[in-house]
Structures are given as C-alpha cells and as structure tokens.
Amino acid sequence: MRTLNSYLAEYALSHQNPVNVKIHNVCVPAIMWSLLAFAWTYPVGSNLTAAHLIAFTALIYYAFFENVKVVAAMAFVSVIMFLTFPWIPHLRWVSIAVFIIAWIGQFYGHKIEGRKPSFFQDLLFLLIGPVWVLSKFFPQLVK
C-alpha cells in the first residue's frame, strides 16, 4: 500500500492553480458533507445510518496509513458533519443539491487547472481529497 504522503503529493500535482485550490477547499468538504448527509437519510438499524457505515469504512482505510492524527481528525470532521444533519430540513434534497453544485465547482476548478481530477486514475483519491484539504489548514496533521 502507498503512503499517505505519496498520495497527497500526487493529489497536489493536479491542484496547483490557486483558484482551483480555493474551489477544492470549499467543494471537497461540501461533497463529503453531502454524501454523508444523503446516506444519513437511510437507516440501517435503530441508531445507525448508512452515513455511519461510510464514515467507519473510510476511517478503517485511513487507519492503514498508521497516522492516528489523520484518523482522529477525520473522525472529528465526520462527527461535526453528523451533528449538522438534524438541523437541515429536507436533508436528502439539500444533500443532492449540494452534491451537484460542489461537483460542478470541482470540474470548473479542474478546467481552470487544465488537469483531470486525480480520481480519474484512482478512485481512492476521493478519500484523499478531504485529508489534503484538512492538511492545508493543519499541516502538522500529516507530519
């Protein structure tokens, strides 16, 4: 398995343009929020939703990088997102709208960048994007 830093370095190659980076700083968390919000609307037990399963699966993936700070940070971000869901009326529809708008933003950013999104070559980059954004604000996370 590749290291987290190698994934982040490769992800950064297609995210050099400052406008694209700013777009990603907004759109990547929005996509994560919208995916988890949509999944939140599907219960899988009395106290569990599909969002819990998605977040837990992602945390297992992050654990393979053997970086406790990344796992803790992504768990914290997930919990914060979970806490917003009960406050959003029509959560399923709002999450769909946010998802579509954020992806339009992402593709516009890559048009400006002049490079294809990283996930076109490896779908795991969809899980790297949130860590990359977080590491922009908290560089010590991946040190």
Side-chain angles (χ1 to χ4, degrees), residues 29 31-37 40 49-60 62 69-86 127 130-131 134:
I31 289 167
M32 181 179 168
W33 181 91
S34 66
L35 176 65
L36 291 175
W40 184 267
T49 68
H52 293 103
L53 300 179
I54 291 169
F56 184 71
T57 302
L59 292 173
I60 290 171
Y62 295 135
K69 293 184 287 187
V70 168
V71 175
M74 293 309 296
F76 179 76
V77 167
S78 297
V79 168
I80 295 300
M81 289 182 178
F82 289 172
L83 292 173
T84 69
F85 301 153
L127 291 169
V131 176
L134 208 52

Side-chain angles (χ1 to χ4, degrees), residues 46-117:
S46 60
N47 292 320
L48 287 177
T49 68
H52 293 103
L53 300 179
I54 291 169
F56 184 71
T57 302
L59 292 173
I60 290 171
Y61 171 73
Y62 295 135
F64 280 105
F65 292 120
E66 298 178 356
N67 183 326
V68 174
K69 293 184 287 187
V70 168
V71 175
M74 293 309 296
F76 179 76
V77 167
S78 297
V79 168
I80 295 300
M81 289 182 178
F82 289 172
L83 292 173
T84 69
F85 301 153
W87 298 93
I88 310 295
H90 310 290
L91 182 61
R92 186 173 295 166
W93 293 108
V94 170
S95 67
I96 291 169
V98 169
F99 186 84
I100 291 168
I101 292 166
W103 274 110
I104 290 169
Q106 293 277 84
F107 284 110
Y108 177 71
H110 279 286
K111 180 177 169 116
I112 293 169
E113 182 79 43
R115 295 183 187 215
K116 293 179 184 176

